[in-house]
Amino acid sequence: MVVLQSREGKSKMYQVVPGGAGGTITDGMPIKKMDKDSRPLVGAGVIGVILVIAAVTAWCYYIASLRKADLLKTELLDLNKDGFLIRNQAGGIVLKMGFRSGTLDLDSCSKEGVILRCSRSFAGKVNFFIMTVKPKETVMCYRVRWEELESDRPVEHAMSYNGSHWYGGAETAVQHWPIAISGQQAPKPFVTSDVYSNRQDFGGILERYWLSSNATAIKINDSVPFHLGWNDTEKTMYFQARYQDSPYKPALGQPPYAELSYRVCVGPDVTSIHKVMVRRYFPKPNKVPAKEMFRHPTWSTWALHKTNISQDKLLSYAENIRKHGFNCSHLELDDRYTKRYGEFEFDQQKFPNASAMFQKLKADGLLISLWTHPFVNYDSSNFGQCVEKGLFVMEPTGQLPALVKWWNGIGGILDFTNPEARNWFLSQLRSLRSKYGVSSFKLDAGETNYLPWQFRTRAHLSDPSTFTRRYTEMAIPFNERAELRSGYGSQNISCFFRLNDRDSVWGYELGLKSLIPAVLTISILGYQFILPDMIGGNAYANRTDGNGRLPDRELYIRWLELSAFMPSMQFSIPPWEYDEEVVAIALKFTELHDTLVAPRVIELAGEVLDTGDPIIRPLWWIATSDETAYQIDSQFLIGNDLMVAPVLEPGKQERDIYLPAGRWKSYKGEHYDNKEPIHLTDYPVDLDELAYFEWV
């Protein structure tokens, strides 16, 4: 510092600061020394400037966030890096989907019109998009696709139950309505299987479709190598696409990039959204099967005689049907009328004069259908020519037929993607029809679990269940009275679909209690011409409630009563194996089926061709705002105006009945005009009765 004396004798203080280029510069401006009171003001000013800058920055970030939020929102769907959620028109969340296999890089997302697209996840490049579609004013749909662009990377999304009830998917051994998942299951191939022999697998009738009480429906695309898993603790289903350790194969010439794509639709109520989905995405029958199959029971030899059937036993069975006064749509000759499996000629020892037998049955007014299957056992006379002609599913190299094990031995399985195999099989069936006047066929099996884990077919199968579809097509020439037990995209085959074999037990595992949930499930999947298997079950050893030879008498009667309110009835163990009272009850209910149920069912069957709507309907079909109706699994509707409430518990001659709001008349003549749903507690139902109510 330099102190100078002014003329006034006062001293002034100046500051000398370093100059540039090696000199010094003296500033002639005086510097006033800052007092202590001024320093806080300067600090406050600095802080104020910082706060202003921070506020501007936050505002800019907020505006950018709003723009990003707007970018990641399409109609009623909100996307984030970990998944998306969908709301209904009222703003309630109806579906939550989480991304389990990766998270999206939201900076890679863009929006063009109705398509929201992202190109990266934190694992690498992906092809992800959500496209909004509005098929109706009250319905909003979203097409979702996540495709990995590297091999060996699965895609997995997790759908939360979100407090709702879900329906659909597949026939299962333990069938509940709504779906009741149990335990934890890693995603496994969602393909058709014989649930009688593989009780933890998915059943012979399945579709990639689910429906929720929140008026939400989801349909997985056919191109997806689809695996399904679940976690009952998290109340979540896992949708996974993968090719590793899987029977799915990529399309020919395509890399094994996993793709998970599906449609989610939201509507005003569950019935409305299901109608939209069925009309848009399900094939429909093009004709109604023979009316006699709806009106009169079919009679099968299986549960009564198993493989010990013969000409004499068949003729005696037919005679007893007439003797006891029963009608007959047709008589089904089941396993085993040929000498070896895979042959199409009658065993001469068991059926010494098959032609005369058929003539006798025809003279008595009885039509006959025959059991058949897709297998040719290695000891069959047809095995060699099928090998020479290349008619079998092959092992992966395509050099040798793939031998498979099924419940009646070991053999080849016909390749129904091969036109030559299809023609050969159909020619055998047509020959039987021409030679003996056979009316139709029961086509058994067809599930993918009877294919080898690795195999080759004439036409490439990306999805193994396509084999099931090709097999069901063999019923088309005979579909007026044909019977199938497997189906995949097969709703338009226009024949009856039978539930898998039932055990002669009361419970939910292939027992009496499983019938209504199973029928409701496959109805929701688009299969409306339903045969609920044999009355009383199959009477298999160690899986029969009763004396071992016959199902329990009470079980048989309750099963009979329930079957009378199904689209079709099927006897095998006949009522006369019990006593005259059971015969009388059977005659009463077959008559009731013919006069009350069948006319309604036939009318509804005609509507199915246009609408695809179920014939057998859940209670929520007419009570979409009724939470209790979503959980009822022991009652059902035929159309909208006949409500059925069978007794399904042993030793009971009463039951609780849930009556939806409306005007109803009971089978006893009681009238109910209830503006709200009501419970009828301990409603009496005698052993020879089934409770039903008609809409007035």
Side-chain angles (χ1 to χ4, degrees), residues 275-289:
K275 288 183 175 184
V276 170
M277 298 299 285
V278 168
R279 284 155 178 74
R280 286 178 67 86
Y281 301 122
F282 284 5
K284 297 170 192 62
N286 52 41
K287 62 183 289 189
V288 176

Side-chain angles (χ1 to χ4, degrees), residues 249 392-399 415 454-458:
K249 305 171 186 175
F392 289 138
V393 171
M394 307 297 282
E395 47 81 40
T397 67
Q399 301 299 311
D415 178 2
Q454 296 293 331
F455 62 90
R456 177 181 291 189
T457 49
R458 177 68 62 89

Side-chain angles (χ1 to χ4, degrees), residues 299 506 512 535-537 551-561 571-578 582 586:
W299 297 76
W506 289 91
L512 177 60
I535 291 168
D552 174 75
R553 181 178 185 272
E554 183 188 7
L555 172 67
Y556 182 88
I557 292 171
R558 293 306 192 189
W559 205 307
L560 158 67
E561 293 165 352
F571 285 101
S572 184
I573 294 174
W576 55 85
E577 288 288 310
Y578 292 93
V582 176

